[in-house]
Structures are given as structure tokens and as C-alpha cells.
Amino acid sequence: MRLLWAILLLCLAGAAWSETVVPARTLRANTVIAPADLALRGADVPGAFSDPAALIGQETRVTLYAGRPIRPGDIGPPALVTRNQIVTLHFTSGGLRILADGRALGRGGAGDRIRVMNLSSRTTLFGTVQPDGTINVSQ
């Protein structure tokens, strides 16, 4: 019997086991993921995350339910700008650089494109959120 177990363990040691990262509890949208929020489930789900380190510090875009696999579209970088926040707008064209105050009309993280309103002219524009929380406005 021990020989059978030894053979089974040797066979299993060579096999590649895959695990899928799942929430340990239900996480509401816009929650920053911490290590205690994650668990590993012994199943291979195509398109789901298998490395918890890739998720820690990211923000949920939708509600994540305990035990269900986490997919790339479910998470993203944490929001730097929230709706109605006063932000600095940057516009650069050639040697011209204009700075203005604006109001964010959406929320977004670094690299997200959101709508903003120039407070001086009341014009609605689109801009890209920068890592420092400012908005780079393009034409």
C-alpha cells in the first residue's frame, strides 16, 4: 500500500496543477484589492487570473462575488480622479502650454479617458488622466 502511495505522489509531483484566483469575500465595485481579499481555488479557468500578485492594489470595476474567478475586465488601476473633483487641465500644442481648472465629469485611473469641464469657459472636453492626477486635454 505504501508503494502505491509513493508511486501516486511521484506521478502527481510531475503533474502541473493550476489554480485560479477568486475573491475570499464579495467585493463591491471601486474597492482596492488587498491580499486578505483573495483566495486560490484549485481549478484552471481560461482567461482568469492565476497569480494573486497581479491583483493586489488594483481596483474592482464591477462587484466580485466570493468564489468566482476574476477576469481582466473586472479590475483596473485605482481611480485617481473622482466625479466632480476639481482638477488641473493641461493643453499643449507646439510651444504653447495652457493650464486651467476643470471639473471631472467621471472617475478614472491613470491612462483612462474621461470627460471634464473647463470651469472658465464651461466647455466640455475629453482628457487622459495622468499619474499625478492632472488631465491632459487633447483637441
Side-chain angles (χ1 to χ4, degrees):
M1 188 63 152
R2 287 185 184 199
L3 180 60
L4 182 60
W5 279 108
I7 292 172
L8 182 61
L9 287 175
L10 285 174
C11 290
L12 292 178
W17 287 97
S18 181
E19 294 180 321
T20 300
V21 180
V22 297
R25 61 181 179 86
T26 299
L27 302 174
R28 299 179 78 130
N30 304 328
T31 301
V32 176
I33 299 172
D37 296 329
L38 303 175
L40 290 173
R41 187 174 78 183
D44 185 20
V45 178
F49 284 95
S50 60
D51 181 18
L55 298 170
I56 296 171
Q58 296 291 314
E59 183 178 76
T60 60
R61 297 288 187 228
V62 296
T63 299
L64 301 178
Y65 296 98
R68 293 189 184 170
I70 302 172
R71 301 191 185 275
D74 297 341
I75 56 107
L80 298 172
V81 175
T82 58
R83 183 174 165 79
N84 289 325
Q85 179 179 343
I86 303 299
V87 295
T88 301
L89 306 177
H90 289 260
F91 176 80
T92 305
S93 179
L96 177 67
R97 180 175 176 192
I98 301 172
L99 300 176
D101 288 332
R103 179 178 305 276
L105 300 177
R107 69 187 309 272
D112 289 343
R113 192 165 162 81
I114 64 170
R115 282 185 20 194
V116 292
M117 180 177 64
N118 182 326
L119 292 178
S120 297
S121 67
R122 302 283 187 206
T123 304
T124 301
L125 309 162
F126 284 94
T128 305
V129 180
Q130 301 302 303
D132 62 356
T134 60
I135 310 293
N136 189 18
V137 178
S138 57
Q139 291 179 317

